[in-house]
Amino acid sequence: MKFLRGKNKHPEAEQRNESISDAETCPLEPNLETMLYKIKQELGDSPDLVIRSFQIGGNPNIPVRVVYISGLADEQAINEYIIRALMVDTAESELEIEFNHAFDLILNNALTVGNVSVLKDWSDLIFSILSGDTIILMEGYAKAISSSTRGGQWRAITESTTQVNIRGPKDSFNESIATNIALIRSHLKSPNLRLETMRIGNVSQTNVAIMYIKGIASDKLLQEVRQRLTDIKIDAVLESGYLEEFIQDQTFTPFPTIYNTERPDAVSGNLLEGRIAVLVDGTPFILILPTVFSQFFQAPEDYYQRYDIVVLMRLIRYTSFFILLLGPSFYIAVTTYHPEMLPTALLINIMAQREGVPFPAFIEAVIMEATFEVLREAGIRMPRAVGQAVSIVGAIVLGQAAVEAGIVTGLMVIVVAITGIASFAVPAYNLTIAARMIRFPLMIISALLGFYGMTLALILLVAHMNSLRSFGIPYLAPFTPFSLKGQKDTVIRAPFKSYATHSRSINQTNAVNTKTDELKSSASESRK
């Protein structure tokens, strides 16, 4: 599935987009039958398109049509608040309604639905129908009434599946952008919580929302986010990952520079720190920007536990990340180039195990790591009922069989197992994937140069991370440039009493604020 940025190359797609662009400037027509014909033609005379006929106020000269798509609209709300209201108004009307007042009567007196608007543009009418709204058309009026009846089947609000916590709220986002906005507002009941909406995608016309807290979020940062989202030219946006690739500062990097979460409390906490949330209709994952490296080691539960417990948990996470990144490389370097670093008894055991192994340590590590990655991916794709059992049994059986067959050593199996377990201790899945990708080049350079190669590779890796920016903010802030206040919520979490009274001081917000003057220049340089 591929969506082209910019103009489509397929001739039918070009013709379709040209018709859409022409329709955007096309006003509605007063002829009712012509409008209904155009709607049927635009939607391919779809069988789920419902058109209901009425006469208002006993006047046969004022025909009315109710148009909606079954499945996208809430039919119970349509029957209760629109159709019944129009039928009651018609039945109980004692006077014949004048033609000039019929539209205003329906708009202001007949309908009992909450959100009602007047449409005068053809593209707005089609988008409203496809969004689940109900359209009311009248003969002789070059405008339509749009009633908010969006419904359909949505996944219920359940516990997060990717960011599980023991203590704290259990709710998570779902695929409805309206529900997600309501969840955030339920956590932040502030009039300064602002919402901006736009549509992105020439074909999909996906609803995208920006949420921020006025007075806390930087105006320059907000302007930069608006500009990058506006500049996106794509046919369809089916998930927030589409936007992530377009708006990030640097594309060619394994490290994620935009944070995503499906927890409302995590989004609320980041909004309080001056960040901006980007919501996309059809996905439960919300983008948080800007992002720094230490943010991927923080879990929402960190702020619900005592600070000393959190310090221990974060130290475990950072340690697990380094084990995931350097575990196999360290084993290869020590056994190949630096055996003198090991205790004599351990060295003798390792050499005794390696006597029957035909492969060098590098090939041994590559075989086991590749096998573990295949098992991990297979466990995700398999049916849930058998996936976990197959992956665990497969890992145990294959590991034991490989050792008994003399293909790998027992210590190598232990190293790979510890590395795999360490990958699950990092809260951010996309950072785990980045470390798994970088691990293989580190294994290669360790096999060639030992610890000297590892040191050189780590220097280059840190230099690359130091060059990264997230909306103009240094990726390694507040480590570099160093900020003493920012250290209160990085590797450790200081007690809440040590923070300033305003919640925006939590995390590295001072880094965000101190860099706003350089935001546009650094962001443009990064995109170049």
Side-chain angles (χ1 to χ4, degrees), residues 74-89:
D74 186 350
E75 297 196 33
Q76 183 177 356
I78 295 173
N79 295 331
E80 182 72 22
Y81 303 115
I82 297 179
I83 294 180
R84 176 179 293 183
L86 293 175
M87 294 181 67
V88 169
D89 181 77

Side-chain angles (χ1 to χ4, degrees), residues 50-108:
V50 180
I51 301 176
R52 179 71 185 273
S53 302
F54 292 94
Q55 291 180 353
I56 297 301
N59 189 344
N61 297 322
I62 311 179
V64 178
R65 301 291 184 269
V66 173
V67 182
Y68 64 92
I69 292 183
S70 176
L72 294 180
D74 186 350
E75 297 196 33
Q76 183 177 356
I78 295 173
N79 295 331
E80 182 72 22
Y81 303 115
I82 297 179
I83 294 180
R84 176 179 293 183
L86 293 175
M87 294 181 67
V88 169
D89 181 77
T90 302
E92 294 182 353
S93 177
E94 298 179 356
L95 300 175
E96 185 174 307
I97 300 174
E98 297 182 4
F99 176 81
N100 296 333
H101 303 296
F103 190 90
D104 294 333
L105 175 68
I106 295 177
L107 180 64
N108 300 321

